[in-house]
């Protein structure tokens, strides 16, 4: 179930990149690409943990996921600030 959730998150992050490119919003394009790369990196380290059973792979996986979540949360924060000020950059 854990691996299936990770695969679903990776697929959703790629779909999010497509939607960000269609919206032509530079902030969301950058943050969606960064978030997706971090999330895919977390997936590779999760697979590495399953194959080699090194604890640091699990640590790297959780750290990359946290950074990915931070990228998406930063996008929400900056989008909300932009909506309140009425500007679009």
């Amino acid at each position: 179930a854990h691996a299936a959730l990770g695969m679903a998150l990776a697929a959703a992050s790629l779909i999010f990149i497509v939607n960000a490119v269609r919206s032509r919003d530079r902030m969301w394009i950058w943050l969606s690409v960064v978030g997706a790369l971090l999330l895919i990196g977390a997936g590779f380290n999760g697979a590495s943990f399953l194959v080699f059973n090194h604890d640091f792979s699990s640590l790297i996986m959780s750290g990359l996921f946290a950074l990915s979540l931070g990228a998406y949360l930063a996008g929400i924060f900056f989008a909300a600030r932009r909506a309140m000020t009425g500007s679009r950059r």
Side-chain angles (χ1 to χ4, degrees):
H2 185 89
L5 177 61
M7 294 295 287
L9 286 171
S13 70
L14 296 176
I15 292 169
F16 191 66
I17 290 173
V18 171
N19 289 333
V21 169
R22 285 184 182 163
S23 74
R24 297 182 183 193
D25 187 344
R26 286 188 294 167
M27 180 197 69
W28 275 118
I29 292 170
W30 278 104
L31 289 175
S32 64
V33 169
V34 168
L37 289 174
L38 290 167
L39 194 61
I40 291 168
F44 276 112
N45 278 284
S48 174
F49 176 74
L50 291 176
V51 172
F52 300 110
N53 204 21
H54 294 299
D55 290 338
F56 63 85
S57 293
S58 181
L59 176 68
I60 294 169
M61 177 188 66
S62 64
L64 290 176
F65 174 74
L67 290 172
S68 174
L69 183 62
Y72 292 123
L73 288 174
I76 292 170
F77 174 77
F78 291 128
R81 281 187 66 183
R82 245 189 345 202
M84 289 174 41
T85 62
S87 67
R88 183 178 170 131
R89 293 183 192 174

